[in-house]
Amino acid sequence: MKTPSETDTPVSLERYYAGVSPQLLARTRQMWSARGLDLDAAWRVTICRLRGYRTIDHCNDKIDSVPIDGVFMFDQAVIWVASLSDSASIAMRLDGMRLIPQQWEALHAVTFRMIEQLDAVRLLFLTQLPLPSMQIARSISENVDMALAFLSRPKLARRFVECATVEEANEFWRRHIAGGRAFRTVSQQLYRSGLEFDQSGEYENWRNSVKAVLGTAVHTSFHPPGTPTIDSSQDSFREISDCHWFVTFRLQEMCAYSHVLQKNLREDLDAVSKHLAPEDGLNLGAWTSQISEIAVDQLRWSLANGAADATPALSHGLQ
């Protein structure tokens, strides 16, 4: 399988995502252009530079655009994470930020790690290796919770950046992140922020069921020949693309909730944008606040096209 970089001429965005829903592509381009942002330039400096940048012929279905739509939406979410990481690398060195420096340092560390994981998930997905992809997807989900917890609790971010040894890092993870601790911290803060988050427990139950399925990819078990490696009775993850979609959803969710948990985030992102002069060239950090608006809109689009049934709490919260 050749990478597009091995071809004689650059691949355009439209050609790369051949078969994507025309409505989705048009809607996305309109959102970027309405904000004066260059989607093609952002795509070239992020997605085209990933190791996982491969041709996606096996996702092209002349009858159904859903598979290629999923790749397109995943890549949009990756662009947002990349822009946030760029913003964090600048904000943690600027004076006068509303978030404390340790929050930006922690956020930069987590998003940098997430980009590496997203690159790996993309490569594994496009080479049709579902189980390793699912293993990394579970880790990405935990890092989403971790990043949101740092935004909602400055002291937690400070403790994280103070970890100087492997032992301290492991102890931090055990006490504050493992076992769903970060998720509970985030859900409590969302409720206190005025979002009626998951009072019925439906969302947490759905999330736990997803993690249980992802766990089947982590732990090797015996299956007789001809038996699927994942229980076919499960509604999720029967196809490789389901793992891909779950990661996309969690990144979109991270974007939506980050601004709820930290009201000062938008002001800091705007300050970063003003700090970057036009003559400095393209830096996604200058676009993060606007790309965030696009990511939230795409989350609403996802919920309106099927995800709402699986995630009722989030669907209601964004209405």
Side-chain angles (χ1 to χ4, degrees), residues 256-268:
Y257 286 156
S258 62
H259 293 270
V260 175
L261 291 167
Q262 184 48 260
K263 302 293 186 182
N264 294 326
L265 179 60
R266 181 60 179 264
E267 291 187 27
D268 279 3

Side-chain angles (χ1 to χ4, degrees), residues 279-292:
E279 57 268 20
D280 293 336
L282 173 62
N283 188 309
L284 285 181
W287 297 354
T288 306
S289 61
Q290 294 169 296
I291 297 177
S292 296

Side-chain angles (χ1 to χ4, degrees), residues 161-182:
V161 300
E162 288 173 352
C163 293
T165 66
V166 172
E167 291 74 20
E168 289 176 351
N170 288 337
E171 177 63 14
F172 174 87
W173 183 271
R174 186 187 66 80
R175 293 187 61 183
H176 302 291
I177 309 299
R181 290 176 177 82

Side-chain angles (χ1 to χ4, degrees), residues 46-240:
T46 52
I47 306 305
C48 294
R49 294 182 180 179
L50 297 177
R51 292 183 178 89
Y53 181 51
R54 296 289 190 275
T55 56
I56 50 179
D57 297 336
H58 77 275
C59 296
N60 293 335
D61 188 329
K62 294 181 180 179
I63 299 175
D64 188 357
S65 70
V66 171
I68 191 65
D69 288 352
V71 178
F72 181 78
M73 292 290 274
F74 176 90
D75 288 350
Q76 287 284 298
V78 173
I79 292 173
W80 175 75
V81 175
S83 73
L84 181 62
S85 185
D86 284 355
S87 287
S89 68
I90 297 168
M92 65 188 191
R93 299 190 299 268
L94 291 181
D95 295 327
M97 294 290 98
R98 303 298 296 272
L99 274 65
I100 65 173
Q102 292 89 341
Q103 283 178 289
W104 282 116
E105 290 171 10
L107 199 59
H108 182 253
V110 174
T111 52
F112 183 84
R113 176 68 179 274
M114 288 174 68
I115 291 170
E116 292 183 328
Q117 294 172 322
L118 291 166
D119 194 355
V121 164
R122 195 179 196 280
L123 176 59
L124 291 166
F125 169 73
L126 293 179
T127 51
Q128 302 186 66
L129 293 170
L131 295 184
S133 182
M134 291 167 65
Q135 293 170 10
I136 301 173
R138 181 169 180 168
S139 180
I140 291 173
S141 182
E142 291 174 340
N143 280 332
V144 167
D145 292 334
M146 197 171 177
L148 292 174
F150 291 153
L151 284 171
S152 64
R153 292 182 58 190
K155 291 182 179 179
L156 191 65
R158 187 180 290 113
R159 292 193 190 104
F160 174 71
V161 300
E162 288 173 352
C163 293
T165 66
V166 172
E167 291 74 20
E168 289 176 351
N170 288 337
E171 177 63 14
F172 174 87
W173 183 271
R174 186 187 66 80
R175 293 187 61 183
H176 302 291
I177 309 299
R181 290 176 177 82
F183 171 74
R184 287 191 290 273
T185 295
V186 171
S187 61
Q188 290 168 3
Q189 291 294 332
L190 287 170
Y191 182 76
R192 291 170 185 168
S193 298
L195 181 63
E196 294 183 2
F197 181 81
D198 198 29
Q199 294 185 66
S200 64
E202 291 178 275
Y203 179 76
E204 184 171 7
N205 291 338
W206 173 81
R207 187 176 179 279
N208 289 337
S209 70
V210 168
K211 289 183 66 179
V213 176
L214 291 175
T216 65
V218 178
H219 308 294
T220 302
S221 58
F222 173 76
H223 293 275
T227 302
T229 55
I230 301 173
D231 185 355
S232 60
S233 66
Q234 294 284 351
D235 291 332
S236 298
F237 300 95
R238 287 178 295 180
E239 303 291 342
I240 303 172

